[in-house]
Amino acid sequence: MDGCLTQSLNERQRQAATFGNSPLLIIAGAGTGKTNTLAHRVAHLISTGVNPSRLLLLTFTRRASAEMLKRAGTILAATSRQPSLAAHDATMAKIWGGTFHAVANRLLRVHSKSIGLGDSFTVIDRSDAEDLLNVCRSELSLDRGEVRFPRKGTCLSIYSRCVNAREPIETALAKQFPWCSDYPEQLKSLFKRYVERKQEQNVLDYDDLLLYWFHLMQDDALAAEARGRFDAVLVDEYQDTNDLQASILQRLCEGGRGLTVVGDDAQAIYSFRAATVRNILDFPKTFPATTVVTLEQNYRSVQPILDAANAVIGQCVDRFEKNLFSTRRSEQKPRLVTLVDEDQQCDYVIKQILEHLEAGIALKKQAVLFRAAHHSDALEVELARRGIPFVKYGGLKFLEAGHVKDALSILRLAENPRDATSAFRVLQLLDGVGPSHARRAIAHLIDNGHKLSSWSRFAPPPAASQQWSALVAMLGRLAPNDLPLPEQIAEMKRFYIPILERRYDQANVRKRDLDQLEQISTNFRSRSQLLSDLALDPPASTQDLAGPPLMEEDYLILSTIHSAKGCEWDAVYVLHAADGNIPSDMTTNSDEEIEEERRLFYVALTRARDFLTVCFPLRYYRRKHATGDQHSYAQLTRFLPESIRDRFEQVSLQPARPDLDLTTNRAAIDVRKKISAMWS
């Protein structure tokens, strides 16, 4: 039966899927069928007698786990004497499948009494964790110093980094948060208080789930009990694991018994989340009995694209050797296009997108990729002007953006004056209003029956006097809820936009989010429906709010490279392939950072199936002033040295220089005489 089960696999995939019980590392190059191979391995283990309830599958998203288990069930059904999918779905349901955090939550509930948690612990999300941390920050008076202490979101990020990377605070600050390096002792006090508060309330944050699991595995008896639950452990995207997760796996699978990990060191791009490429590079050293199986046959891209990608990643010093190849042939090399400036880049990319559309490649099958979310600003404006629909992924999720949270807090306060959390945020938007003033204003509101109009009798700090009267007047107009919703949002914007312009960078970009919020508000019956729908089913981006998809059947994809990992498109355009953008000038302080930026560029290249264009604008204008011609010239990304540019078709769209007549020197002589005559 197993021969039938794996007959669709190539030789390397089959070797990985049917491997025995010793540690196995599958190096799966981009587009080489990683998910299919791992699903076949799950099916193989079950078909050879492994009890599904003793199988652990760890992934990085719930969707990835569900997809893999569904595929494994389909494989079993196709090769079984009992072809009923329902029966195999029931088998798959017995598998311990899910994210590291979901499995940790399940295991901790099994062992909760043994580790002092009790039966009733709850898990708080990041927003609640930030708020609790902020309470601790205030209790310790860290919000009232002469020097501005890091805000709650930054503090939680530092805490998370220390936990997941298992780094001392001093190391985490030096590596990732140098602007906070003056506060190690204060942060230690804050985190100690934060942990105490969580323990008092019997709550865990996301980082605690892994931290408690790690400490559970340090107890020999509990570790043996957890270890005894599983005959096989499979881990997807192993290059994205952090030090804490790798340490858990070492104790869960002593000596690597029954452990299979799948990943690609060339796609390790999440160090900012505390992931470390060393986990996958050092796996054979950690488990000396490891067998490494490398998947190199690519099912996604044409060979010229792979030739370029192989050349780029081949410059990495520390990596697993692999050479991606494809049976998909093409005479079209990827293009490296040199352009005058960003405006010409926009024109060129849009022209190519429309040409591909005319040739039958839908907009959905085309993607524009960039290193940082703001790199697409000019392109977004031009796409909108030309009426080309698009969806953008990456950067902050819509509801995580500070300016959007500010705007929605104003609407929530108007909707429910008892919402102290929203009031606390709104009040601190005003000049001179800190946590103490905000708490006094909220107490005043409570004492006056939560009537927003009562704030007209509250004395704000002098710096906020004008803003205070504007706030009270605006809330007075919004609270009755008798204006159409778009008018309410317009009213809110008139008050808030001057604050936005002072508080945030790229204000014009952020204003577009508020404009879109006003536009889509017409889709909701009421303010309460708008607020509840955004809370219960938060959108990932502003474009998500516009309906599926922007009232069009087809739309272009814009994405940061980080968000594009795992995706593929027929045609891909990579913007701003200039040093300072790729690699980012923020991440060139060490060899490790530069190597990760190279891997990120490699990820961008390997998203393309048939057509790949890399754009390099020569000139960047400084937009500090509305007029003027201040600019600087860029250098091509260091990841495309001269030695590998023959893998690309090199195109230059610089304006041609007028031909010089070199056949005579008469013009030069005349000019020299005129200049000499000036001083006669």
Side-chain angles (χ1 to χ4, degrees):
M1 169 184 157
D2 199 62
C4 297
L5 187 146
T6 60
Q7 64 182 358
S8 64
L9 303 181
N10 65 41
E11 182 181 347
R12 295 275 184 86
Q13 291 173 330
R14 188 177 300 113
Q15 180 188 356
T18 59
F19 191 77
N21 203 42
S22 58
L24 172 65
L25 170 59
I26 305 172
I27 298 296
T32 57
K34 163 186 71 78
T35 301
N36 192 38
T37 303
L38 198 55
H40 274 83
R41 178 146 181 77
V42 171
H44 165 77
L45 289 169
I46 293 172
S47 70
T48 54
V50 175
N51 185 334
S53 63
R54 297 183 59 78
L55 213 166
L56 174 61
L57 173 64
L58 292 165
T59 61
F60 275 82
T61 66
R62 184 174 56 184
R63 181 180 298 177
S65 175
E67 179 187 345
M68 207 167 296
L69 292 179
K70 182 178 180 181
R71 192 177 296 194
T74 303
I75 294 165
L76 283 173
T79 57
S80 170
R81 292 192 181 94
Q82 186 183 21
S84 167
L85 270 175
H88 292 289
D89 286 345
T91 298
M92 293 298 110
K94 296 177 183 177
I95 293 175
W96 282 60
T99 65
F100 273 88
H101 293 87
V103 170
N105 184 44
R106 188 174 172 184
L107 274 173
L108 293 179
R109 294 194 185 279
V110 171
H111 298 283
S112 59
K113 291 183 180 178
S114 301
I115 56 177
L117 277 175
D119 295 325
S120 59
F121 75 87
T122 54
V123 180
I124 57 177
D125 63 19
R126 181 175 178 87
S127 179
D128 289 337
E130 284 186 5
D131 289 342
L132 181 56
L133 194 58
N134 205 38
V135 170
C136 300
R137 185 172 171 269
S138 183
E139 288 175 353
L140 295 171
S141 300
L142 294 173
D143 56 349
R144 292 190 285 274
E146 292 182 4
V147 179
R148 185 162 183 162
F149 192 72
R151 304 298 290 268
K152 62 181 181 180
T154 303
C155 290
L156 187 59
S157 295
I158 296 169
Y159 174 84
S160 183
R161 175 79 193 188
C162 294
V163 169
N164 288 287
R166 298 176 67 202
E167 290 177 345
I169 285 181
E170 292 81 1
T171 304
L173 294 179
K175 284 185 178 179
Q176 299 291 326
F177 307 92
W179 62 93
C180 304
S181 56
D182 292 338
Y183 309 110
E185 296 308 316
Q186 295 96 319
L187 286 166
K188 288 177 186 177
S189 300
L190 174 62
F191 297 158
K192 186 174 188 299
R193 178 68 62 89
Y194 175 56
V195 170
E196 289 170 353
R197 289 289 175 267
K198 287 187 293 182
Q199 291 177 353
E200 288 169 5
Q201 300 174 27
N202 205 30
V203 299
L204 306 184
D205 62 24
Y206 278 8
D207 299 318
D208 287 331
L209 290 170
L210 295 184
L211 191 57
Y212 273 76
W213 188 7
F214 169 80
H215 284 291
L216 182 152
M217 298 305 297
Q218 304 316 300
D219 181 275
D220 289 339
L222 292 176
E225 189 176 339
R227 197 178 300 125
R229 290 180 176 275
F230 306 113
D231 293 328
V233 177
L234 300 95
V235 186
D236 190 20
E237 303 285 12
Y238 190 70
Q239 79 279 351
D240 295 336
T241 55
N242 58 45
D243 191 82
L244 195 60
Q245 291 163 329
S247 299
I248 290 168
L249 289 172
Q250 288 178 43
R251 291 286 287 170
L252 190 62
C253 306
E254 284 195 329
R257 181 190 65 85
L259 179 60
T260 298
V261 302
V262 184
D264 183 7
D265 56 295
Q267 297 185 69
I269 58 174
Y270 293 119
S271 66
F272 65 93
R273 295 180 186 167
T276 170
V277 69
R278 297 313 318 175
N279 284 347
I280 193 166
L281 291 175
D282 295 341
F283 189 87
K285 297 176 185 175
T286 304
F287 303 104
T290 294
T291 298
V292 179
V293 176
T294 305
L295 307 184
E296 296 177 297
Q297 183 171 353
N298 178 284
Y299 295 92
R300 175 186 299 156
S301 305
V302 293
Q303 189 61 47
I305 291 175
L306 297 181
D307 290 340
N310 287 334
V312 167
I313 203 64
Q315 300 168 82
C316 272
V317 176
D318 195 0
R319 68 188 185 97
F320 286 103
E321 289 287 337
K322 59 181 173 297
N323 190 47
L324 298 183
F325 67 92
S326 172
T327 58
R328 300 186 65 231
R329 303 297 169 188
S330 173
E331 296 301 316
Q332 176 62 60
K333 288 183 178 182
R335 285 181 173 175
L336 173 59
V337 184
T338 302
L339 304 124
V340 174
D341 55 23
E342 190 174 12
D343 289 339
Q344 191 180 48
Q345 177 179 246
C346 291
D347 288 340
Y348 177 78
V349 167
I350 291 174
K351 181 171 180 269
Q352 294 301 306
I353 288 167
L354 294 177
E355 285 183 4
H356 279 137
L357 180 63
E358 287 297 317
I361 301 177
L363 291 176
K364 280 185 186 178
K365 294 184 177 181
Q366 303 185 58
V368 182
L369 306 184
F370 32 85
R371 172 63 179 86
H374 65 86
H375 286 171
S376 66
D377 289 351
L379 180 64
E380 290 177 51
V381 171
E382 191 61 19
L383 288 169
R385 190 182 72 81
R386 300 194 193 189
I388 300 172
F390 64 91
V391 172
K392 182 177 178 180
Y393 300 103
L396 281 175
K397 288 184 169 51
F398 181 63
L399 294 187
E400 292 176 359
H403 59 292
V404 177
K405 293 172 76 172
D406 293 343
L408 292 176
S409 291
I410 293 171
L411 295 177
R412 288 195 188 100
L413 180 57
E415 178 75 14
N416 176 19
R418 295 178 181 271
D419 186 344
T421 301
S422 293
F424 198 66
R425 184 182 188 96
V426 170
L427 291 169
Q428 291 183 89
L429 294 174
L430 308 185
D431 295 339
V433 177
S436 297
H437 271 107
R439 278 190 284 270
R440 287 199 291 273
I442 292 170
H444 177 91
L445 186 65
I446 294 170
D447 291 342
N448 286 273
H450 297 96
K451 293 180 180 178
L452 293 169
S453 59
S454 70
W455 270 344
S456 62
R457 301 186 299 276
F458 181 80
S465 57
Q466 289 187 340
Q467 292 173 318
W468 187 267
S469 59
L471 172 66
V472 174
M474 177 202 62
L475 291 173
R477 288 188 288 271
L478 297 187
N481 203 12
D482 52 9
L483 292 174
L485 188 52
E487 289 185 27
Q488 292 189 42
I489 295 177
E491 186 77 34
M492 174 272 296
K493 285 167 54 185
R494 279 191 286 273
F495 165 78
Y496 175 65
I497 283 177
I499 295 173
L500 180 149
E501 290 173 340
R502 288 197 305 276
R503 281 181 163 255
Y504 295 102
D505 58 359
Q506 297 181 316
N508 286 332
V509 177
R510 295 173 187 269
K511 285 181 200 174
R512 292 207 301 268
D513 288 342
L514 302 183
D515 292 341
Q516 192 150 19
L517 185 63
E518 180 180 352
Q519 180 183 345
I520 62 96
S521 66
T522 57
N523 299 332
F524 295 89
R525 293 190 308 273
S526 65
R527 185 172 65 197
S528 61
Q529 187 201 13
L530 169 72
L531 294 172
S532 61
D533 281 12
L534 292 182
L536 293 172
D537 188 18
S541 65
T542 53
Q543 287 79 2
D544 287 356
L545 296 171
L550 303 178
M551 305 305 291
E552 295 276 353
E553 292 183 357
D554 198 14
Y555 52 94
L556 179 69
I557 305 298
L558 308 184
S559 176
T560 61
I561 303 172
H562 281 101
S563 295
K565 185 170 172 289
C567 301
E568 61 181 59
W569 296 275
D570 289 358
V572 168
Y573 314 87
V574 182
L575 302 185
H576 297 294
D579 253 43
N581 294 327
I582 301 176
S584 167
D585 54 8
M586 304 288 288
T587 53
T588 53
N589 297 316
S590 67
D591 291 342
E592 291 79 9
E593 289 181 341
I594 293 171
E595 289 299 88
E596 178 159 332
E597 290 288 305
R598 190 193 313 277
R599 296 193 294 267
L600 188 63
F601 186 49
Y602 170 82
V603 166
L605 303 184
T606 54
R607 300 310 94 194
R609 288 174 45 80
D610 301 310
F611 301 98
L612 172 64
T613 300
V614 178
C615 295
F616 167 50
L618 274 173
R619 183 182 297 177
Y620 285 88
Y621 286 93
R622 303 188 184 106
R623 304 190 186 275
K624 183 176 180 181
H625 304 289
T627 58
D629 189 33
Q630 290 186 325
H631 63 271
S632 58
Y633 284 100
Q635 291 185 331
L636 180 65
T637 173
R638 69 190 72 182
F639 304 143
L640 292 177
E642 184 67 40
S643 60
I644 68 171
R645 288 182 211 158
D646 60 345
R647 275 71 162 189
F648 293 81
E649 175 191 346
Q650 298 184 56
V651 179
S652 178
L653 296 188
Q654 302 174 62
R657 295 176 60 191
D659 290 336
L660 299 178
D661 183 3
L662 301 179
T663 60
T664 175
N665 61 357
R666 186 176 302 128
I669 294 170
D670 289 345
V671 170
R672 292 175 66 186
K673 286 182 178 179
K674 289 179 181 179
I675 292 174
S676 297
M678 289 173 61
W679 311 107
S680 299

